[in-house]
Amino acid sequence: RKGSPDLPSGSLTPNHYGESDKLGPLTMRIQKRNVYKCENIHGKLHHVGDVVWGKIHGFPWWPGRITAITVSRRDNGVIISQIAQVSWFSSSTMSHISCDDIYPFLEDYKTRFNKKKRGIYKTAVKQATKAAQSLENEIRRIELMECTVNIEMLNDSSCSSV
């Protein structure tokens, strides 16, 4: 339960009627935590702020930005779900989508973009392209700054690929 302290199995906890229930030995607690990144089943990392493609039933692949990520784990540490909150470009709506069902915008552009669509879809794609390119440039700038510091301070040659 949200806000409940971790109680050992068999503890008394209030049920949804405000009464106490004795937890059985097979009860497993689920912990939800907001995080800044998640890794999907394809090995791709997604971060809060990333521009991605997502699919909602009845709509084409649509560009959005990750605004939050929530990971749910069992008390034994096993991840149950990784859900990204995605705010859609050219829309006032947002959706909660599994991290396994979103894809990097620029990387998957050729496979997800629907060139037959017009209107608000094209506007959304243009906005997302601009945002993704801006984000990519900022990441490169930060990586370059970090490498400069590493090379100066540690004489680190690991940044030669930047």
Side-chain angles (χ1 to χ4, degrees):
R1 292 188 175 96
K2 193 173 183 179
S4 297
D6 289 332
L7 299 172
S9 177
S11 299
L12 296 179
T13 59
N15 64 21
H16 61 281
Y17 298 111
E19 302 163 353
S20 292
D21 287 339
K22 185 158 177 105
L23 297 176
L26 297 178
T27 300
M28 185 164 292
R29 299 204 182 279
I30 297 174
Q31 179 186 51
K32 286 187 175 185
R33 176 180 237 170
N34 288 332
V35 296
Y36 69 94
K37 67 179 179 178
C38 64
E39 184 176 354
N40 68 18
I41 57 174
H42 311 291
K44 299 286 183 186
L45 275 179
H46 298 298
H47 296 84
V48 171
D50 283 356
V51 179
V52 296
W53 290 103
K55 181 86 170 85
I56 300 296
H57 183 72
F59 290 90
W61 285 97
W62 202 275
R65 183 183 301 271
I66 299 173
T67 57
I69 300 171
T70 303
V71 175
S72 298
R73 294 179 186 267
R74 291 192 175 114
D75 58 359
N76 63 1
V78 173
I79 294 175
I80 299 169
S81 68
Q82 298 181 97
I83 304 296
Q85 179 177 301
V86 178
S87 178
W88 304 110
F89 284 93
S90 292
S91 173
S92 60
T93 62
M94 65 87 170
S95 303
H96 292 99
I97 302 177
S98 170
C99 287
D100 294 337
D101 297 330
I102 55 177
Y103 298 87
F105 180 78
L106 292 176
E107 190 176 319
D108 280 34
Y109 185 88
K110 287 182 179 179
T111 57
R112 308 282 174 213
F113 176 65
N114 185 341
K115 55 186 156 206
K116 295 177 185 175
K117 295 289 180 184
R118 302 275 182 248
I120 197 163
Y121 177 81
K122 277 198 126 173
T123 303
V125 170
K126 284 179 185 177
Q127 290 173 349
T129 301
K130 186 176 179 179
Q133 288 171 340
S134 176
L135 183 62
E136 199 171 74
N137 289 338
E138 184 65 14
I139 290 169
R140 277 199 200 110
R141 188 183 69 74
I142 291 169
E143 286 174 345
L144 186 59
M145 284 176 23
E146 287 174 351
C147 284
T148 301
V149 169
N150 285 342
I151 290 169
E152 290 172 358
M153 294 178 69
L154 306 172
N155 200 12
D156 186 357
S157 61
S158 66
C159 294
S160 58
S161 64
V162 177

